[in-house]
Amino acid sequence: PCMHVKCRAPMYPRDNISRFPVSDEQVSWSKAYPEYNPPDHTSPSVLAKPVWADPDFRDPAFPQPKWNDLDGKINRKSHSGPYEIIDKVPRNPVGRTGVCGRGCLGRWGPNHAADPIVTRWKRDCRGNQVKEGISGKPILQFVAIQRRDSGEWAIPGGMVDAGEAVSVTLKREFGEEAMNSIEAREDEKVEIEEAIQDLFQNGKEVYRGYVDDPRNTDNAWMETVAFNFHDETGRSVGRIALNAGDDAVGVRWTDLSSSVKLFASHELFVKQTAMLHNSHW
Ligand code: RP5
Ligand code: MG
Ligand code: MG
């Protein structure tokens, strides 16, 4: 995995905990950093023992789970290969983050998510593809949501529930966050379901691995599988009204270009998508 930056921001999100400073040169575990003394932080939401959170495996009361393996319904394997267990807990494969413990993440080690990147071509009022002036390439649009937690624009992704197939997470999260399926009327639910089923049959994987997520710690981190679902004619999901729901407060079709600013490593995933379609970037 490559360098992480967003999970070294001065403040840990939500809980106002200061991260121990880690410069670019101090990220790697192989580089000695004797003064390194990160705060041990677990968010109140995790301490409340919700179903999605692990127990504190540093406590001798809890036997060690199957690290680097499928542990019952919980996937504790990393997309980036085996991670190390130091003092009974996993160690972030990229390096130091300035916080140890789990922060607000439920799992020690990898916390698996899935990211649906839904795209269509930008069209003018006559239905013709719009090309960007300088590159001369057609402009691709993707569905972005605005996150309730940070206000940043992002891909409408979410956590893979225990035992859930990634293909199911991709559809569920898109429905919840970009189409507000949870609060839709029964007849609307059917229309949403049909459009998603149809478009999500053919996806292309554009990324699999570590995410530079602001919630990452030295012992817990986000990983994802990002899939592109492209509506070539604009007549599938590209036609249905978008509606922000669940942990999204806004939703819109967004033109892809190198100037788009997104949450965590999402810029990288949408860039891969633009490359895949040879669209303007
Ligand atoms: C990111 O967090 C992933 O890429 C995914 O988009 C998201 C999942 O977390 P929630 O949206 O459920 O907070 O790391
Ligand atoms: Mg969600
Ligand atoms: Mg989400």
Side-chain angles (χ1 to χ4, degrees), residues 9 22 46 57 60 77 100 109 112 123 131 160-161 185 197 210-211 213-214 224 231 250 275-278:
V22 177
V46 173
F57 291 124
K77 275 193 196 167
C100 66
H112 289 286
R123 291 177 195 274
K131 298 206 166 87
V160 181
D161 291 338
R185 286 196 320 260
Q197 285 299 357
Y210 185 87
V211 183
D213 188 292
T224 198
D231 184 358
M275 300 300 125
L276 181 70
H277 294 281
N278 193 23

Side-chain angles (χ1 to χ4, degrees), residues 156-159 172-173 176-177 246-247:
M159 310 298 299
R172 180 177 56 72
E173 290 289 339
E176 291 174 1
E177 298 188 6
D246 198 36
D247 41 19

